[in-house]
Amino acid sequence: MDGAGGPGEGPAQEALQSLSRRLQVQEKEMELVKAALAEALRLLRLQAPPTSLQDPGTPGPTRDSSAAAPPGLPPTRSPSSVSRGTQTETEVEMEPSPGPPGLSNGPAAPQGGAEEPGGTQSEGGGSSSSGTGSPGPPGLLRLVQPPQRTDTPRRNSSSSSSPSERPRQKLSRKAASSANLLLRSGSTESRGGKDPLSSPGGPGSRRSNYNLEGISVKMFLRGRPITMYIPSGIRSLEELPSGPPPETLSLDWVYGYRGRDSRSNLFVLRSGEVVYFIACVVVLYRPGGGPGGPGGGGQRHYRGHTDCVRCLAVHPDGVRVASGQTAGVDKDGKPLQPVVHVWDSETLLKLQEIGLGAFERGVGALAFSVADLGAFLCVVDDSNEHMLSVWDCSRGTKLAEIKSTNDSVLAVGFNPRDSSCIVTSGKSHVHFWNWSGGAGVPGNGTLTRKQGVFGKYKKPKFIPCFVFLPDGDILTGDSEGNILTWGRSLSDSRTPGRGGAKETYGIVAQAHAHEGSIFALCLRRDGTVLSGGGRDRRLVQWEPGLVALQEAEIPEHFGAVRAIAEGPGSELLVGTTKNALLRGDLDQGFSPVIQGHTDELWGLCTHPFQNRFLTCGHDRQLCLWDGEGHALAWSIDLKETGLCADFHPSGAVVAVGLNTGRWLVLDTETREIVSDITDGNEQLSVVRYSPDGLYLAIGSHDNMIYIYSVSSDGAKSSRFGRCVGHSSFITHLDWSKDGNFIMSNSGDYEILYWDVAGGCKLLRNRYESRDREWATYTCVLGFHVYGVWPDGSDGTDINSLCRSHNERVVAVADDFCKVHLFQYPCARAKAPSLVYGGHGSHVTSVRFTHDDSHLVSLGGKDASIFQWRVLGPGGAGPAPATPSRTPSLSPASSLDV
């Protein structure tokens, strides 16, 4: 609308300007009323033959193959049989506006309107620059525009009317048209009780968005609206399935062992099972017997903890286990207090919960008493004072407590011959404690301390471990590589006064055993002692008197010795600082039975036709895992941090994206690098082959998607083009089933579509991609999966998402250490899910194996890999023929499993 003049040219001109502004507001309202008319026509078509709304001489519009309904949804209907209409901020723009950006999550549509599929133009004039049709539903304005409106002057068209008369003519016509449209639009009940004329932004706001039933849905992340179009095959949103999926998950195998930064973490039970921990799970590993695993091993899991396990102790009966966890917070920010669980290793049932609310930060070390058959438990927490407490195991009551030291405490233990004697060791100290039980009355016990004196011997910086000998002496291993023998001091035993009636200890012998620190000591059944070195990685067997008998060296790539446990016969189990569990003896050497990563994990992909998967992360290791044998097939050093990976459909090669913008293609058999290319200098977040293997898409933090043409064997790649248009870094992408299109998400919650085969063009008309079928679904934003998002999410709560190959379920990895399982499609408000815990850090990725028999999940900083077995009716099968809808996941609707 042209302006009439400056404000000083008279009252008539001011009135004309006022009318012009009112006209602009009503023009915007008019577009919304048109959407209401489109809905009314849609409802009429549901009750009348589709030909009643078409010109008999005009053939109905056809849909190309790329617009077929998604799998599992009812057959789509052509626009001639169902007319749909909507307006979003930028997707049907009738005039330029300086208002906020639209809901297209991409570059704004060209101003001035868009070209209609039938060759007509929207009211604002102009045509779409993308060449892909109108941003609105096809045929909308052609169907609803009354014939008498053909002479209505457009905003930029010329007219014989004078400038002063033109606004009045438009206002009168629009008022009459608005009344007619409202009369024909029907009641709100006929539209499912929803008022299409209500908007978040109010009349005339550029934030106005009318999510008419059957057109689009909208969710908000950090206040940003995200519009998603409903596939044409969905007739009613209320028909969408509800409830959790019939499929369930069962933890099948845990890869890894926490040897990098913990102690007291490896024991052998009476049953012969090896018990250790990683993340929030205590693993009971059976080295022999049972299906699967190296040497026929199997696993069971205690999953009662809510945060990372830090230490273990085994009861003298060899059945009961105590495990202590660290402090943490839940998803609502509420603190999770440290606690000790005492549980039965045969039934995996919790018997006692000790110390809830009594410990600070975490449980650092614990031990059962031996002389009185495990009646008591001593615990050292991770507070500044490292509180030492003694507990009654059967009642769960605290008998005594005292501040031990401000220095780190690394080990604690009862004297096996006298439960009144407790020893602690750690940074620059060995303390000998005398405990008086106070007749078993809670809180009446006392603890008194005597500090070990090093005298003429060099005081070590750390004393990580100690062991009690059968004759009552104590051996300690320290950071200087020395084993010190502590014997009862005769002078102290004859000295009356404090502690004079009880044993105190002094150093009676020293042996230099290792180069570097000694991390572990183990008393064997035959009375000999094993020591494990850090820097030299040696295992040494000592006879009484500290005479070396035999030794073996652990291979360098497994790391230093962290813990030692004695198995049946001469068999030994060794935990290492590189999170491996080795099995063997001093004569034959050691081989790994459990291996894992040592730093934060991000990259995960599953093999296209084998039960194998590949992982990579901040430890710079690229590992291929055998999901059936539960073993590491091979690993290589990438020299850089690996963040993402994907197998070529042939399985012959795998692409790996690094944190420097560099990406590699490796032969999966020879492990040789066949391609080494760099795109930009920022980290790569996703690599994905097209389903036919002809293209490789690489999403980068430089906001671009690089497309490469790939040879048939996957070994050679050449740049095909770039997808440019995202305003933030790429987070996820998926290929269409025909391999021609890409759907992508970015860090600022955009959902964009790209025509790769047509030259990597951005498809500005997102509405036309609503029925496209996707070979994979890993994008976390999209109509079919937006029901997985929690209420009030900040947009970073979900790290990874994966649809099963049979399109029955979708798995989600969140920032709260949980794996969720939803029905697919998942587009229903407050969609319920099955929730699975066990990870001790944010879950960074989830992927289904090729046959959907298993789901693999990665813990971030806990460096754990969980392999879940998918259980459910029918196993693999066709996707359910039920459509999908809406956003958010309420905590109340999640079922913890």
Side-chain angles (χ1 to χ4, degrees):
M1 180 69 190
D2 295 332
E9 296 182 15
Q13 297 301 329
E14 292 180 0
L16 183 60
Q17 283 187 336
S18 176
L19 287 174
S20 175
R21 287 191 293 269
R22 291 176 57 190
L23 175 61
Q24 292 178 8
V25 171
Q26 291 196 5
E27 281 179 340
K28 297 173 183 178
E29 293 177 345
M30 195 57 209
E31 299 307 322
L32 308 177
V33 175
K34 287 181 180 180
L37 175 61
E39 173 66 6
L41 291 176
R42 185 184 75 83
L43 295 173
L44 289 175
R45 284 185 174 80
L46 296 178
Q47 303 175 8
T51 55
S52 63
L53 295 177
Q54 281 190 331
D55 184 350
T58 304
T62 59
R63 185 187 305 276
D64 68 343
S65 59
S66 65
L73 302 180
T76 61
R77 294 178 293 174
S78 67
S80 63
S81 61
V82 178
S83 174
R84 301 165 181 266
T86 187
Q87 179 186 3
T88 60
E89 295 165 12
T90 61
E91 303 221 356
V92 182
E93 294 193 354
M94 308 311 293
E95 63 175 276
S97 170
L103 304 183
S104 65
N105 293 319
Q111 296 176 343
E115 183 179 350
E116 296 300 320
T120 62
Q121 290 183 332
S122 60
E123 185 178 350
S127 62
S128 171
S129 63
S130 66
T132 57
S134 75
L140 168 61
L141 298 183
R142 176 174 56 81
L143 289 172
V144 304
Q145 191 170 7
Q148 62 270 26
R149 298 276 298 169
T150 55
D151 295 332
T152 302
R154 295 188 178 175
R155 208 167 304 141
N156 296 322
S157 64
S158 61
S159 172
S160 59
S161 302
S162 66
S164 61
E165 293 175 350
R166 191 178 304 141
R168 296 185 180 90
Q169 292 173 355
K170 286 193 175 184
L171 286 171
S172 61
R173 276 195 293 267
K174 287 189 177 293
S177 177
S178 298
N180 293 334
L181 288 173
L182 290 174
L183 287 174
R184 285 180 282 175
S185 65
S187 65
T188 57
E189 287 81 1
S190 67
R191 296 186 293 272
K194 297 184 179 180
D195 183 6
L197 298 181
S198 61
S199 74
S205 168
R206 297 302 298 165
R207 287 179 54 81
S208 297
N209 182 56
Y210 293 87
N211 299 327
L212 299 176
E213 193 77 16
I215 302 300
S216 66
V217 290
K218 179 168 66 175
M219 64 180 289
F220 290 82
L221 290 176
R222 285 189 173 176
R224 175 167 183 166
I226 301 170
T227 299
M228 291 157 284
Y229 289 106
I230 302 174
S232 60
I234 298 179
R235 298 184 57 180
S236 171
L237 299 181
E238 300 305 321
E239 295 177 358
L240 296 174
S242 60
E247 289 80 3
T248 58
L249 299 180
S250 173
L251 187 55
D252 181 42
W253 198 267
V254 177
Y255 300 84
Y257 151 84
R258 187 166 181 171
R260 173 187 52 177
D261 60 354
S262 66
R263 297 166 178 82
S264 301
N265 57 10
L266 182 63
F267 298 91
V268 177
L269 301 175
R270 187 179 67 183
S271 63
E273 291 174 302
V274 181
V275 59
Y276 60 94
F277 58 82
I278 183 171
C280 305
V281 177
V282 182
V283 181
L284 294 87
Y285 169 63
R286 186 172 57 257
Q299 281 186 358
R300 296 189 298 139
H301 310 95
Y302 176 74
R303 296 171 54 202
H305 287 282
T306 56
D307 214 297
C308 289
V309 181
R310 292 301 307 275
C311 53
L312 286 177
V314 175
H315 194 274
D317 64 11
V319 175
R320 282 175 280 180
V321 178
S323 49
Q325 75 173 47
T326 188
V329 294
D330 63 11
K331 64 178 299 182
D332 298 321
K334 297 179 181 178
L336 297 173
Q337 296 176 322
V339 69
V340 174
H341 287 189
V342 179
W343 46 280
D344 190 312
S345 63
E346 294 178 348
T347 63
L348 299 181
L349 296 178
K350 182 169 62 177
L351 305 175
Q352 192 70 256
E353 192 173 82
I354 291 178
L356 184 63
F359 308 128
E360 291 185 23
R361 296 183 185 169
V363 178
L366 46 77
F368 282 103
S369 61
V370 178
D372 43 28
L373 304 180
F376 306 108
L377 182 74
C378 61
V379 181
V380 180
D381 72 7
D382 285 334
S383 64
N384 290 337
E385 297 83 11
H386 296 95
M387 301 297 294
L388 171 65
S389 54
V390 180
W391 300 77
D392 186 317
C393 291
S394 60
R395 300 176 183 176
T397 55
K398 182 165 59 178
L399 303 178
E401 183 179 43
I402 193 172
K403 297 178 181 179
S404 64
T405 176
N406 288 332
D407 293 324
S408 300
V409 177
L410 303 178
V412 65
F414 282 95
N415 188 321
R417 302 196 305 174
D418 182 4
S419 295
S420 66
C421 178
I422 299 173
V423 178
T424 60
S425 70
K427 183 178 180 181
S428 301
H429 76 271
V430 178
H431 290 163
F432 303 93
W433 301 86
N434 179 32
W435 168 53
S436 173
V441 179
N444 278 4
T446 59
L447 285 162
T448 57
R449 181 186 73 184
K450 285 200 172 183
Q451 187 165 337
V453 178
F454 290 88
K456 64 179 181 179
Y457 300 97
K458 181 180 179 181
K459 189 175 184 178
K461 187 175 182 179
F462 288 97
I463 303 173
C465 55
F466 62 84
V467 66
F468 292 94
L469 297 179
D471 61 4
D473 289 347
I474 300 171
L475 299 183
T476 60
D478 60 41
S479 55
E480 302 297 323
N482 297 321
I483 297 179
L484 300 178
T485 303
W486 298 75
R488 186 173 60 181
S489 172
L490 298 178
S491 60
D492 280 352
S493 66
R494 294 192 298 266
T495 301
R498 181 182 176 186
K502 288 291 181 180
E503 295 178 342
T504 58
Y505 292 85
I507 300 174
V508 297
Q510 173 181 286
H512 186 70
H514 294 270
E515 296 299 325
S517 182
I518 299 173
F519 286 157
L521 291 172
C522 174
L523 178 65
R524 304 195 68 175
R525 288 185 291 269
D526 60 6
T528 61
V529 173
L530 288 169
S531 63
R535 186 184 306 168
D536 61 11
R537 306 185 313 281
R538 291 165 53 235
L539 272 174
V540 183
Q541 183 178 13
W542 306 86
E543 66 177 8
L546 294 181
V547 177
L549 294 176
Q550 195 175 4
E551 67 177 64
E553 185 174 330
I554 302 300
E556 183 178 2
H557 61 276
F558 292 129
V561 177
R562 174 64 75 190
I564 308 169
E566 189 176 22
S570 62
E571 182 179 281
L572 298 174
L573 292 126
V574 178
T576 74
T577 56
K578 289 193 175 179
N579 294 353
L581 184 59
L582 311 180
R583 180 187 181 193
D585 57 41
L586 297 175
D587 295 322
Q588 305 296 324
F590 295 87
S591 59
V593 290
I594 299 293
Q595 290 178 267
H597 284 270
T598 59
D599 209 339
E600 188 170 354
L601 293 176
W602 280 96
L604 170 65
C605 62
T606 53
H607 197 279
F609 50 83
Q610 294 179 1
N611 203 356
R612 292 187 163 200
F613 58 93
L614 188 140
T615 58
C616 57
H618 289 202
D619 62 359
R620 303 183 177 186
Q621 296 295 310
L622 180 68
C623 300
L624 180 67
W625 304 90
D626 180 357
E628 293 182 357
H630 302 136
L632 179 66
W634 53 256
S635 68
I636 64 169
D637 188 355
L638 293 172
K639 308 298 183 184
E640 296 176 15
T641 297
L643 298 177
C644 50
D646 192 40
F647 279 99
H648 187 269
S650 67
V653 297
V654 62
V656 182
L658 308 179
N659 67 331
T660 57
R662 179 170 164 241
W663 56 275
L664 313 173
V665 178
L666 295 94
D667 188 298
T668 56
E669 292 297 327
T670 65
R671 310 176 210 174
E672 294 180 356
I673 297 176
V674 297
S675 184
D676 186 341
I677 301 176
T678 300
D679 284 306
N681 56 6
E682 298 195 42
Q683 71 182 52
L684 304 179
S685 51
V686 55
V687 294
R688 184 86 70 241
Y689 284 100
S690 62
D692 53 13
L694 298 181
Y695 295 106
L696 174 63
I698 300 163
S700 172
H701 270 228
D702 64 7
N703 305 356
M704 297 184 188
I705 302 174
Y706 299 90
I707 307 296
Y708 281 80
S709 296
V710 180
S711 60
S712 58
D713 59 358
K716 297 180 180 180
S717 305
S718 59
R719 173 76 72 84
F720 178 80
R722 294 185 307 172
C723 297
V724 181
H726 272 292
S727 55
S728 184
F729 58 90
I730 313 302
T731 58
H732 307 83
L733 65 84
D734 292 291
W735 285 90
S736 61
K737 289 188 175 180
D738 59 12
N740 293 329
F741 300 90
I742 283 178
M743 169 175 59
S744 57
N745 294 166
S746 64
D748 59 352
Y749 324 126
E750 292 175 328
I751 309 173
L752 298 187
Y753 301 91
W754 311 87
D755 181 359
V756 175
C760 301
K761 296 178 182 177
L762 172 64
L763 301 179
R764 298 182 183 275
N765 182 5
R766 297 187 301 118
Y767 180 84
E768 291 189 347
S769 295
R770 70 195 188 283
D771 290 332
R772 189 158 285 125
E773 297 182 357
W774 302 101
T776 58
Y777 215 121
T778 60
C779 286
V780 297
L781 294 173
F783 173 79
H784 292 84
V785 298
Y786 80 111
V788 307
W789 283 90
D791 289 325
S793 173
D794 65 355
T796 64
D797 296 333
I798 293 178
N799 298 313
S800 178
L801 176 150
C802 183
R803 181 190 68 190
S804 61
H805 296 87
N806 59 27
E807 302 185 15
R808 289 181 180 273
V809 293
V810 58
V812 170
D814 71 15
D815 249 3
F816 311 108
C817 314
K818 305 297 184 186
V819 173
H820 297 257
L821 200 64
F822 293 87
Q823 285 201 70
Y824 180 85
C826 180
R828 193 173 182 87
K830 301 185 185 300
S833 68
L834 300 177
V835 186
Y836 298 88
H839 285 290
S841 175
H842 52 291
V843 187
T844 55
S845 188
V846 285
R847 290 292 182 270
F848 286 95
T849 55
H850 72 101
D851 57 358
D852 294 329
S853 61
H854 293 84
L855 175 75
V856 181
S857 61
L858 301 185
K861 292 186 177 180
D862 65 24
S864 64
I865 304 171
F866 287 11
Q867 180 174 306
W868 307 83
R869 186 178 299 277
V870 180
L871 307 174
T882 314
S884 64
R885 170 204 174 190
T886 15
S888 127
L889 174 157
S890 171
S893 64
S894 300
L895 306 177
D896 287 309
V897 179

